[in-house]
Amino acid sequence: MTESKRDISEFLAESEDILGELSANIIKLAEGISTGKVEPATLNNIFRNAHTLKGISGMFGFTNMQMLTHRMEDMFDSLRMGKLSLNSEIVNVLFEAVDLLDKMLVAKGKGEDFAADKIDSVVAKINNITNAPLSTVLQPSEDMGVDKGILGVLTEYEEHRLAENIKAGNAVLLIGAEFSLTIFDQGLIELTDFLKPFGEVIATLPSTAKNKEALHFDILYSTHMETAFIEEMFKGRNLAVKAVKGHPLPASADIKVGADVGLPAESKSEETTLRSMSNTVRVDIQKLDSIMNTVGELSQIKTSIAQIINKLRIEAGLTGVALELSKIDKNLEKRLHELQESMIEVRLVPINQLFDKFARVIRKLSLELGKEVELNTSGGDTELDKLIIEELADPLMHIIRNAIDHGIEPPAEREKRGKPRVGAISLKAYQKGNHVVIEIGDNGAGMNVAAIKRKAVDSGLIDEAASQALSMQEILDFIFLPGFSTKSEVSEVSGRGVGMDVVKKNISNLSGTIDIDTEEGTGSRIVLTLPITLAIVQALTVAAGSKRYAIPLGGVVEMLNVSASDIKTMEKKEVIVLRGKTIPALRLEQFFYPTVARIEKGEMYGIVVGIAESMLCILVDTIIEQQDVVIKTLGRLFDVPGIAGATDLGNMGTLLVVDVAGIVTTANRGAGKRAA
Amino acid sequence: MTLPAKILIVEDSPTTRAMITSAVEVIDGLEIFESKSGFEALKLLPHHSFDLILTDINMPDINGLELVNFVKKNPDYKHIPLIIITTEGSEKDKEKGLSLGADEYLVKPFDPETLQRLVKKYLKVGVRQ
């Protein structure tokens, strides 16, 4: 039944969202333990996360998940009600539980069931914690002097927060405000944002205002601030402040400011006819892909229109008609471009989605390996295509594992070296033109470049003499060869040398590049440069020899006319000199067909591309035109270095799309000659 | 021709909201309104004369009890029957809800038929076959 299928995908999407929030909240708890300060709101949010998960898994009859989340909910309830105090044991169990939930969701997504035995051990650990004697809960009683009418609408948790605040000797105020019906939520957000830094908003109580176009709200608020400060705080604001409880404001000293709360002029009644006020939709990425394909095909059709315009003008001599049509064509082009831009935008998601997951993994790994690691992230709001984010998860994970396993030293060793005991891993993302750069840094041991070189010589990858001439970057490139590792023992976490070649492959598949920067003793930094989206790209169609290719514009810096005399030879490699800078040159035809005899051409075109720190001048015979292409992968069977995929260009047939990043890397490594 | 009965569902979880909706939409003559928070419900109330409200308790902006209190204290809305649908939890919250004027209390996960029966009880409408 399609209905139930739709429901399960809704369940999966919501659960995934909640799990993301849950992990972020648990990380906040973990930080709270070290700083000694946990916001009551965090505990309540975390409770709500588990509560909702329990609710929806129960409705779908996922009993295992329901049981686990139920136990978590109970534990969070005890925590938020102050019956249980937070400690690192609890946080560790929570990380385990979230991991497990993650796996259960993945299994559910595939229609499988998750082995129940793993759940039992986590549930047992939670039970162990919650079975310990709990402290008694403080409940407000009427003799606390709080109005029954207020107590009557508070949930048990809100009552508890009220009691806690009274116990702490804080002032409790009821802040009355009136807002117009249409914008009250905005007004309330502003008001609570103003209040939060100085205390706690316990509850928001709506009531009917005299004016039918308005709503009255009483905010139950507690603060530890002095009376004088509170008075100052509310001076000049259109609020009615009343002391509910606490010494700072005796009932007689109520501050009444601006009793008549005027309504903003624009507060007209708005006819609401929407069935739901929710304004977001979830869409399967495949649907977006298919729209994107259609958009791509549309722009190819548009290209044919441009050709017909030319025919009309030149062959049929219909200049007037051609002009009219070309105006429409321009308009069409503009709209198509807008459509593409918005389609790309729709697919973008913040990279935080990944960063949050890693925080959990890093914690888990460092525990397993007996290392102490903290994670610093920045630029989490940088946006990337959802598909790229998905594909990045594994390679990033591998890099991070390596950093913890091989990079960060054990705490004792770090101290011996005069480094802080706790190692640091940093994840940094930022946008750079049409690319997003992700840097993964660690302050660990760094890589032993000499050892890598030795290993390369020992494995016969290069001879001793030639190895002396290698640059540091060239030596580090050995890491990306299959099976290459200097680590003698095999570790559980990152295995042995398996991986960096795969990481490199994965990143190249995303048209990205990977750079390493390392200093022995101080740490390493791995820099990934990726295009923001892969779905549709602008490309140059070029001819080199008898073939035509498409070169994505993303990495293109500039185009030049190149004469044969401009091409110099330096250390057996061809280069050109551009404004004083030497750039390696690569003849596209020779790259793909190294055996074809080189025909010297007087004039050529040079397409200068730059990816990360590397530049390259690609030499072609002709530049034909610039157009949008949809890159389709060729599949595993056609794994040709330097080719990113193919594109169908209607009139021009199918062209191979050049993998600019791949070519740049290959050329800079000096292995320019390869078989196609 | 009779006008459809208007029912307001207040629930922050999209999955739960969808399940409540699919449980009640088999009932004939219903117009269903969904809101994902108490705030949205407050905005919808003045624009429609609802015949029934179904609400959750644990929600992010205002809690369900506060919504019940608001509805049952307002002369324009207090006649609207109100059913609380929430996961089993605090007995105290349930008692409070009923004493504030909620008409029924249904525990999640609920049986769709029980919900349909309750809705029909308050709306006096038929079920589509």
Side-chain angles (χ1 to χ4, degrees):
Chain A
M1 218 170 79
T2 53
E3 183 60 27
S4 69
K5 206 185 156 202
R6 194 187 85 102
D7 279 351
I8 179 114
S9 64
E10 207 156 333
F11 164 81
L12 290 172
E14 184 179 354
S15 306
E16 206 180 320
D17 282 355
I18 297 175
L19 266 192
E21 274 176 41
L22 195 58
S23 343
N25 281 328
I26 295 174
I27 289 158
K28 271 193 207 162
L29 287 191
E31 286 166 3
I33 291 180
S34 44
T35 58
K37 194 170 179 293
V38 177
E39 292 286 328
T42 309
L43 285 175
N44 193 40
N45 287 342
I46 226 169
F47 166 81
R48 285 176 31 78
N49 293 149
H51 177 82
T52 310
L53 266 183
K54 182 195 76 175
I56 60 179
S57 51
M59 280 188 300
F60 276 83
F62 298 153
T63 41
N64 280 338
M65 196 157 167
Q66 187 190 7
M67 178 184 60
L68 178 58
T69 46
H70 193 165
R71 299 305 298 131
M72 289 168 77
E73 182 195 12
D74 283 352
M75 181 161 70
F76 293 140
D77 193 38
S78 299
L79 281 169
R80 70 176 188 150
M81 301 297 269
K83 295 179 196 169
L84 192 66
S85 46
L86 188 66
N87 58 41
S88 54
E89 185 198 352
I90 294 179
V91 174
N92 289 344
V93 174
L94 288 180
F95 275 113
E96 238 180 279
V98 171
D99 245 10
L100 201 57
L101 286 171
D102 235 359
K103 287 187 183 131
M104 290 165 100
L105 270 189
V106 171
K108 285 276 177 265
K110 293 180 186 155
E112 298 161 5
D113 237 333
F114 193 70
D117 53 322
K118 293 183 183 147
I119 297 159
D120 292 343
S121 93
V122 177
V123 168
K125 281 185 196 170
I126 296 179
N127 284 343
N128 215 4
I129 293 167
T130 47
N131 284 346
L134 304 172
S135 1
T136 44
V137 197
L138 202 60
Q139 283 299 343
S141 48
E142 278 150 41
D143 58 292
M144 282 176 149
V146 177
D147 184 67
K148 260 194 194 168
I150 296 174
L151 283 184
V153 292
L154 300 185
T155 58
E156 211 176 345
Y157 168 69
E158 288 164 344
E159 270 189 18
H160 166 71
R161 292 309 310 155
L162 176 64
E164 282 285 320
N165 275 293
I166 292 176
K167 185 182 150 204
N170 294 341
V172 180
L173 310 174
L174 204 57
I175 300 163
E178 230 159 77
F179 297 103
S180 96
L181 252 178
T182 46
I183 55 150
F184 72 83
D185 38 359
Q186 240 172 292
L188 278 173
I189 288 169
E190 277 165 30
L191 182 56
T192 47
D193 281 351
F194 160 71
L195 294 172
K196 270 182 187 162
F198 313 108
E200 184 180 342
V201 172
I202 300 170
T204 307
L205 319 165
S207 60
T208 313
K210 280 195 195 90
N211 181 340
K212 291 230 170 190
E213 299 298 319
L215 278 180
H216 182 90
F217 287 91
D218 281 314
I219 293 174
L220 189 61
Y221 177 65
S222 95
T223 174
H224 53 277
M225 293 296 179
E226 300 292 324
T227 316
F229 183 90
I230 300 172
E231 278 175 15
E232 196 56 39
M233 208 173 140
F234 292 110
K235 212 170 259 175
R237 287 186 167 259
N238 272 351
L239 299 168
V241 182
K242 204 161 74 182
V244 172
K245 178 75 199 165
H247 55 276
L249 287 178
S252 55
D254 287 356
I255 310 169
K256 287 268 180 197
V257 198
D260 302 329
V261 180
L263 287 174
E266 79 277 53
S267 68
K268 287 216 186 81
S269 128
E270 244 173 56
E271 195 51 50
T272 321
T273 48
L274 295 174
R275 202 175 128 112
S276 156
M277 294 180 82
S278 151
N279 49 7
T280 53
V281 284
R282 288 180 193 283
V283 184
D284 191 318
I285 193 91
Q286 283 175 357
K287 283 190 189 162
L288 292 183
D289 279 345
S290 116
I291 300 177
M292 206 59 174
N293 269 331
T294 314
V295 173
E297 278 148 19
L298 267 180
S299 46
Q300 282 153 26
I301 296 173
K302 200 213 75 68
T303 313
S304 319
I305 297 179
Q307 284 159 357
I308 293 172
I309 295 173
N310 266 338
K311 271 192 197 161
L312 279 177
R313 202 181 56 223
I314 299 162
E315 293 172 22
L318 296 168
T319 326
V321 181
L323 194 67
E324 244 171 273
L325 195 55
S326 106
K327 269 185 199 157
I328 296 171
D329 181 54
K330 281 274 169 324
N331 209 352
L332 183 63
E333 183 179 335
K334 209 173 131 205
R335 300 281 169 249
L336 264 176
H337 192 70
E338 283 168 6
L339 186 58
Q340 278 171 7
E341 297 257 293
S342 9
M343 280 309 299
I344 289 169
E345 220 164 272
V346 164
R347 301 167 60 95
L348 299 182
V349 289
I351 199 162
N352 251 341
Q353 286 193 352
L354 271 183
F355 284 4
D356 287 350
K357 282 185 190 160
F358 289 135
R360 219 165 67 220
V361 173
I362 288 174
R363 213 190 134 77
K364 193 173 149 218
L365 283 180
S366 48
L367 277 179
E368 280 171 18
L369 291 163
K371 294 184 180 178
E372 292 175 27
V373 184
E374 61 172 22
L375 172 71
N376 306 310
T377 60
S378 69
D381 50 1
T382 310
E383 290 186 316
L384 261 174
D385 192 304
K386 170 81 177 163
L387 221 57
I388 299 186
I389 297 251
E390 291 295 314
E391 295 298 318
L392 261 182
D394 287 342
L396 265 181
M397 181 68 143
H398 199 92
I399 295 171
I400 291 171
R401 279 189 176 163
N402 270 337
I404 299 177
D405 195 12
H406 305 312
I408 305 284
E409 311 91 331
E413 199 181 321
R414 290 181 64 88
E415 280 180 342
K416 223 186 284 168
R417 295 186 182 182
K419 287 174 146 184
R421 193 181 159 81
V422 179
I425 294 208
S426 65
L427 285 174
K428 188 173 157 194
Y430 54 93
Q431 194 173 340
K432 195 174 169 188
N434 275 333
H435 287 84
V436 165
V437 180
I438 302 170
E439 296 185 6
I440 307 99
D442 69 70
N443 65 356
M447 294 175 197
N448 186 336
V449 180
I452 296 171
K453 186 154 80 175
R454 203 175 321 119
K455 169 86 187 177
V457 174
D458 290 351
S459 343
L461 290 167
I462 192 160
D463 61 52
E464 180 73 44
S467 78
Q468 298 308 319
L470 291 177
S471 70
M472 175 158 140
Q473 212 54 52
E474 284 169 321
I475 296 169
L476 288 176
D477 275 343
F478 285 120
I479 295 171
F480 298 119
L481 293 176
F484 190 92
S485 172
T486 58
K487 191 95 173 168
S488 38
E489 77 273 24
V490 180
S491 138
E492 273 278 302
V493 176
S494 51
R496 182 179 170 178
V498 187
M500 277 318 265
D501 57 323
V502 180
V503 168
K504 170 114 183 166
K505 181 109 201 46
N506 290 344
I507 299 294
S508 308
N509 285 346
L510 296 172
S511 297
T513 58
I514 177 164
D515 289 309
I516 305 179
D517 189 12
T518 185
E519 194 172 327
E520 213 183 336
T522 41
S524 309
R525 194 170 59 115
I526 294 186
V527 182
L528 308 179
T529 309
L530 296 145
I532 289 176
T533 183
L534 293 176
I536 199 157
V537 292
Q538 288 205 305
L540 286 175
T541 44
V542 300
S546 57
K547 295 275 187 287
R548 286 176 172 183
Y549 304 90
I551 300 181
L553 262 188
V556 174
V557 182
E558 62 179 293
M559 285 171 261
L560 350 140
N561 288 315
V562 179
S563 331
S565 59
D566 293 335
I567 304 169
K568 313 267 186 271
T569 306
M570 222 172 163
E571 291 168 6
K572 292 184 195 160
K573 292 180 200 171
E574 286 189 321
V575 298
I576 62 154
V577 179
L578 181 64
R579 292 185 289 275
K581 197 174 168 193
T582 309
I583 302 171
L586 177 139
R587 294 172 195 256
L588 199 57
E589 190 186 7
Q590 259 66 46
F591 182 82
F592 290 118
Y593 299 95
T595 49
V596 168
R598 206 169 88 187
I599 304 158
E600 277 309 332
K601 291 149 188 137
E603 289 294 323
M604 275 179 288
Y605 290 93
I607 299 162
V608 181
V609 291
I611 299 282
E613 304 306 318
S614 311
M615 301 267 271
L616 176 72
C617 179
I618 301 176
L619 297 172
V620 300
D621 301 340
T622 335
I623 294 175
I624 304 164
E625 63 183 334
Q626 176 181 328
Q627 62 180 205
D628 293 324
V629 302
V630 179
I631 303 179
K632 296 183 178 157
T633 54
L634 294 173
R636 286 170 199 280
L637 286 175
F638 297 91
D639 186 13
V640 183
I643 292 294
T647 185
D648 182 22
L649 283 186
N651 60 319
M652 281 203 272
T654 305
L655 298 194
L656 290 173
V657 181
V658 173
D659 169 17
V660 173
I663 285 195
V664 170
T665 318
T666 314
N668 279 291
R669 197 189 284 154
K673 305 247 182 287
R674 335 183 120 232
Chain B
M1 203 184 84
T2 48
L3 284 171
K6 289 183 175 182
I7 179 166
L8 175 64
I9 298 169
V10 192
E11 165 68 63
D12 60 326
S13 154
T15 313
T16 313
R17 210 164 53 231
M19 291 201 94
I20 297 176
T21 304
S22 65
V24 297
E25 71 189 358
V26 296
I27 301 176
D28 259 336
L30 270 195
E31 191 180 352
I32 301 168
F33 293 77
E34 297 179 10
S35 59
K36 63 175 177 352
S37 70
F39 279 178
E40 282 190 6
L42 291 179
K43 285 193 173 179
L44 281 176
L45 276 167
H47 298 293
H48 304 275
S49 52
F50 288 109
D51 298 292
L52 179 63
I53 300 172
L54 308 178
T55 183
D56 184 23
I57 286 192
N58 265 293
M59 291 185 293
D61 43 23
I62 59 168
N63 72 50
L65 297 178
E66 285 154 356
L67 182 67
V68 176
N69 186 53
F70 176 81
V71 169
K72 293 298 181 179
K73 288 244 166 71
N74 186 309
D76 292 342
Y77 310 134
K78 65 180 182 193
H79 65 277
I80 308 175
L82 196 151
I83 303 173
I84 294 175
I85 307 181
T86 186
T87 16
E88 37 89 37
S90 160
E91 273 302 301
K92 248 181 140 175
D93 289 350
K94 172 181 171 176
E95 278 167 32
K96 276 186 175 180
L98 295 174
S99 69
L100 288 170
D103 298 85
E104 294 279 352
Y105 191 97
L106 185 62
V107 171
K108 281 185 258 180
F110 56 86
D111 165 32
E113 281 172 21
T114 312
L115 178 60
Q116 287 155 11
R117 206 178 51 240
L118 279 179
V119 170
K120 279 185 280 170
K121 175 177 159 191
Y122 286 99
L123 294 180
K124 300 183 180 70
V125 288
V127 171
R128 205 163 50 214
Q129 291 307 308

